Amino acid sequence: MVEIKIGTTGAPPTWAVKQRYLIETMNAAAPLFLKKYVHRGGTLREHGKLDDDYECFNSWPLFYAMGGDEKILGWSVEGWNGITRQWTYQHSQSVHREFVRQYDMLHLSEGYVGFQNFGLADPTIPENVDRAGRFAGFYLGDDPEVANYDAEKKLIRSPITGSGGPAFSSGADYVLIWGHASLYPVVKELEPGWEKDPERHAEIQRIYDEVVVCGDVPMNMAIAGLVAHAHILTGEEKYRKWVLEYVDAWMERTQRNGGIIPDNIGLSGEVGEKRDGQWWGGFFGWTGRYSVWMIFHALITATESAYLLSRDRKYLEFYRSQVDILLDRSVVRDGNLLVPYKVGPQGWFDYRPLDPYILSHLWNASMEPQDWERIERVRAGSANGPHAYAYAESPDPPAPGSEEWRPDGPFDWNYVRDDLQGNKFVENEAAHLNFLDGKNPDWPDEIMDATFRQVQQNIERLSGESFEHEWRSQTMQVQNPILTAGLCQMTMGAPFPCFNGGLVCARVRYFDPDQKRPGLPPDVAALVEELEGERTVLQLVNTSGFESRRVVVQGGAYREHEFTEVKWGDEQQRVDGGWFAVELSPAASARLEIGTRCTVREPTYAFPWD
């Protein structure tokens, strides 16, 4: 392995000191969460929904993989196993064969992000390798007990699937009352109180099962992350083949639908089969309360997974085409570029700002100037906030018109929020993009400050007795003191990982060659400063004034990128490989300019010494 030595010393920058302090604080805070909420053996003292329980530990294996304490990985494996046991033998036995029996892919994919992150932390855990193949097998169509996938039609047969197979009946009340799907044109308008009339309720339930629950929906594309994870972990070709086949099928349907991704596919494979050919109205689709959020999160997971496994840029073009569907229909109101979020009988409506996160993933994958131009276009049209779904967060059913977006003060792309949780961390993506563009030099300090304030808030909550979140099932989840979003952006140059089944998409990751484990070694801090198509700029700092430190820098989360050379100061070294090592003298630091060929290698979880 190529190894370079850095001897230039000096006082560490403030962001580096804050980064190391944050890591140590989270290491110390994890036992508080365990003491309050976790029994010995990993089972939970309190519960939310099934996906919320799993989400409590989603960030833990990723934190370990970035340099968190060794105990973090053991605790997260124990927690995952404990939650799985509890939901297998309790709570209506909602887990079967260690996988959720039946759930919509929004919630199912949220819960399994942490399982996928175990691959980055330790890809050799035997039971997790076995699980990865079994879980993916539920969707390949080759498990005789589970018929989620129609291999001939290349579709998932219901929005609600799992180890128990597809569901063709599901409660209509929640989805219809909260506005997550439509029955149009079969039922043009639901009258108020329909759910309280037993006869009408039974009739609507029958229609709902036939129109909404039978067939494929875009949200199902989120399963691509779990199947791609199985391929990266095992190398078995059948998993890659399925991901590409399934995403290709959605591309073909989109082409048949005039270039717009349809949100309901019948069991025959036809668009709008139960809606007289109408392409919108489906489960978590274009009429839904979180329409663009639902569709694009799944689309990001699917296209990034397919691109990672194939290196075929047609998948990026598929994603880009759907971004342009919205941008081409945008309007400018009072300096705000707004795009339509929904489709209904009246056409496109519900105009809101386009989330920078949607564009960030596209640009990070493509590194093409045209995708940065899309970011600049949206930035120039961001006169006002709030974010797109600020008026769609109530745990209660929305009143008519209550969730329409309306400008409320200026929107600052440099501002880092410290009041976020869960999937809302995407709202700090704009500030990260501005830093990469050279317009937000204070971002490294501010993202560390904001993350520390959130961690400290959760430490205070864990030390108290009275906190309860308004979404009660998330009370335990939002007190998780292991927050990795800012660290991912900062150390790995990554956009916030897609909450719905997404794999971590990073420019670099790190290994400790002395401890033979993943992550930054003790005292070492990292900042990805610039990203270009063939260039990565990375700062490494040894905050210890006494000990030398060695760190391995890898191209990509899965060694999918290749480094050509590395320059620092007046020196230069050829690399021509997926990684190189750096030895940092006490108090040493360097700004490394790394020649990079992006997404050119077969992805792997293997560590450099494997």
Side-chain angles (χ1 to χ4, degrees):
M1 182 184 300
V2 170
E3 181 166 336
I4 66 174
K5 296 184 178 181
I6 306 297
T8 305
T9 62
T14 54
W15 63 260
V17 176
K18 291 176 180 179
Q19 187 182 106
R20 292 310 313 181
Y21 185 64
L22 175 65
I23 290 172
E24 295 309 315
T25 300
M26 291 197 290
N27 283 335
L32 298 178
F33 184 87
L34 297 173
K35 182 179 179 180
K36 186 167 185 175
Y37 288 118
V38 184
H39 293 291
R40 287 181 177 174
T43 57
L44 301 182
R45 300 177 189 273
E46 298 182 19
H47 294 280
K49 302 195 309 297
L50 174 54
D51 61 301
D52 292 334
D53 281 4
Y54 277 121
E55 286 172 47
C56 289
F57 289 99
N58 272 358
S59 59
W60 291 44
L62 180 57
F63 177 54
Y64 165 78
M66 290 192 292
D69 192 281
E70 188 80 25
K71 294 177 182 178
I72 298 290
L73 177 57
W75 288 331
S76 60
V77 172
E78 191 175 72
W80 198 94
N81 289 338
I83 293 166
T84 301
R85 289 196 309 274
Q86 280 183 297
W87 284 88
T88 297
Y89 301 111
Q90 303 170 25
H91 313 305
S92 303
Q93 298 182 359
S94 300
V95 168
H96 172 62
R97 297 172 67 185
E98 299 188 303
F99 195 80
V100 179
R101 283 184 184 273
Q102 289 177 326
Y103 217 168
D104 64 78
M105 198 57 64
L106 165 73
H107 294 95
L108 190 150
S109 63
E110 284 179 339
Y112 285 110
V113 167
F115 175 75
Q116 294 166 190
N117 287 339
F118 284 131
L120 294 171
D122 185 352
T124 68
I125 300 173
E127 61 184 347
N128 282 347
V129 176
D130 177 66
R131 287 164 174 158
R134 186 184 334 124
F135 296 172
F138 295 146
Y139 292 89
L140 265 61
D142 56 2
D143 189 319
E145 297 181 27
V146 186
N148 289 317
Y149 187 63
D150 184 329
E152 180 183 352
K153 300 290 193 304
K154 297 180 177 55
L155 59 84
I156 294 176
R157 301 173 67 220
S158 168
I160 301 161
T161 60
S163 60
F168 296 119
S169 179
S170 180
D173 298 35
Y174 171 76
V175 173
L176 295 180
I177 292 172
W178 264 258
H180 293 309
S182 167
L183 298 180
Y184 197 93
V186 180
V187 177
K188 289 188 167 54
E189 187 173 353
L190 277 170
E191 65 277 12
W194 62 269
E195 72 279 7
K196 299 175 183 177
D197 181 334
E199 290 188 9
R200 182 59 168 163
H201 183 277
E203 180 184 21
I204 293 300
Q205 181 65 58
R206 177 188 60 79
I207 296 171
Y208 174 81
D209 288 340
E210 181 178 345
V211 174
V212 176
V213 184
C214 294
D216 209 349
V217 297
M219 194 69 231
N220 281 337
M221 284 191 287
I223 201 62
L226 195 66
V227 182
H229 164 70
H231 171 74
I232 300 168
L233 195 63
T234 68
E236 292 191 41
E237 187 61 27
K238 63 182 180 180
Y239 303 124
R240 185 207 320 254
K241 181 176 180 294
W242 186 89
V243 170
L244 303 186
E245 173 183 282
Y246 187 54
V247 180
D248 283 349
W250 273 103
M251 292 172 65
E252 189 273 333
R253 295 165 193 158
T254 300
Q255 185 178 22
R256 279 193 283 127
N257 194 51
I260 302 174
I261 192 167
D263 71 15
N264 63 106
I265 309 296
L267 292 174
S268 69
E270 292 302 311
V271 174
E273 178 184 328
K274 298 295 184 178
R275 300 174 186 266
D276 300 328
Q278 176 184 291
W279 56 269
W280 51 266
F283 190 91
F284 289 155
W286 285 109
T287 59
R289 187 184 187 192
Y290 301 113
S291 52
V292 166
W293 187 271
M294 302 296 198
I295 293 170
F296 275 78
H297 274 52
L299 189 59
I300 287 170
T301 293
T303 52
E304 286 181 339
S305 296
Y307 180 52
L308 179 67
L309 299 191
S310 70
R311 299 174 288 284
D312 190 332
R313 298 180 79 85
K314 73 177 183 180
Y315 297 109
L316 302 184
E317 181 53 42
F318 176 38
Y319 183 71
R320 183 181 295 119
S321 72
Q322 299 311 293
V323 170
D324 286 344
I325 288 294
L326 301 180
L327 288 175
D328 289 347
R329 290 162 174 77
S330 65
V331 299
V332 177
R333 296 173 181 166
D334 300 321
N336 294 295
L337 178 74
L338 308 176
V339 301
Y341 271 60
K342 294 181 183 178
V343 179
Q346 71 273 48
W348 293 90
F349 69 107
D350 190 25
Y351 285 80
R352 302 171 187 262
L354 186 62
D355 195 327
Y357 162 77
I358 288 174
L359 300 172
S360 178
H361 269 265
L362 176 59
W363 173 74
N364 270 275
S366 78
M367 285 284 112
E368 293 189 18
Q370 61 168 311
D371 294 322
W372 187 262
E373 289 170 5
R374 288 172 171 83
I375 292 173
E376 290 183 331
R377 179 183 174 190
V378 169
R379 181 170 59 189
S382 300
N384 296 104
H387 60 91
Y389 285 111
Y391 305 117
E393 295 180 351
S394 169
D396 301 315
S402 64
E403 299 188 331
E404 293 180 5
W405 186 85
R406 51 196 181 275
D408 181 16
F411 187 85
D412 182 0
W413 271 56
N414 285 350
Y415 180 66
V416 177
R417 293 184 57 181
D418 62 2
D419 59 347
L420 305 174
Q421 61 197 32
N423 56 8
K424 301 299 191 300
F425 281 110
V426 300
E427 292 164 24
N428 275 338
E429 195 66 26
H432 182 217
L433 289 170
N434 254 20
F435 168 72
L436 293 173
D437 195 30
K439 299 180 184 299
N440 193 6
D442 296 331
W443 175 83
D445 281 281
E446 291 180 355
I447 192 65
M448 291 295 92
D449 291 346
T451 306
F452 182 80
R453 287 193 293 270
Q454 291 171 302
V455 171
Q456 188 62 38
Q457 172 186 260
N458 287 350
I459 290 172
E460 293 170 0
R461 288 172 173 174
L462 290 168
S463 302
E465 299 292 336
S466 60
F467 175 77
E468 182 176 73
H469 190 262
E470 63 173 341
W471 300 73
R472 292 178 183 173
S473 69
Q474 297 182 10
T475 293
M476 182 170 54
Q477 174 194 343
V478 301
Q479 295 176 75
N480 173 22
I482 306 298
L483 305 179
T484 55
L487 284 174
C488 258
Q489 292 171 319
M490 191 174 190
T491 67
M492 302 171 75
F496 178 67
C498 186
F499 208 67
N500 294 111
L503 299 171
V504 175
C505 298
R507 181 59 68 93
V508 293
R509 71 173 295 202
Y510 309 94
F511 296 90
D512 183 338
D514 296 322
Q515 298 298 319
K516 290 293 190 290
R517 54 153 291 176
L520 289 166
D523 302 315
V524 176
L527 172 63
V528 175
E529 187 178 288
E530 296 180 34
L531 294 177
E532 297 177 4
E534 297 183 349
R535 179 173 172 265
T536 305
V537 179
L538 167 66
Q539 289 191 51
L540 290 177
V541 178
N542 181 4
T543 62
S544 171
F546 304 95
E547 301 289 338
S548 293
R549 298 297 184 192
R550 296 171 66 237
V551 59
V552 173
V553 182
Q554 176 178 288
Y558 317 98
R559 207 190 311 160
E560 70 271 27
H561 307 321
E562 178 156 318
F563 298 140
T564 56
E565 75 278 329
V566 57
K567 302 176 183 177
W568 69 103
D570 297 327
E571 301 188 61
Q572 180 173 337
Q573 174 68 54
R574 291 296 300 179
V575 178
D576 294 327
W579 52 60
F580 61 91
V582 180
E583 180 179 326
L584 293 159
S585 299
S589 63
R591 184 176 186 268
L592 309 179
E593 295 193 29
I594 310 167
T596 310
R597 298 173 61 229
C598 293
T599 319
V600 296
R601 300 170 64 101
E602 181 69 14
T604 178
Y605 284 121
F607 293 174
W609 42 86
D610 289 343

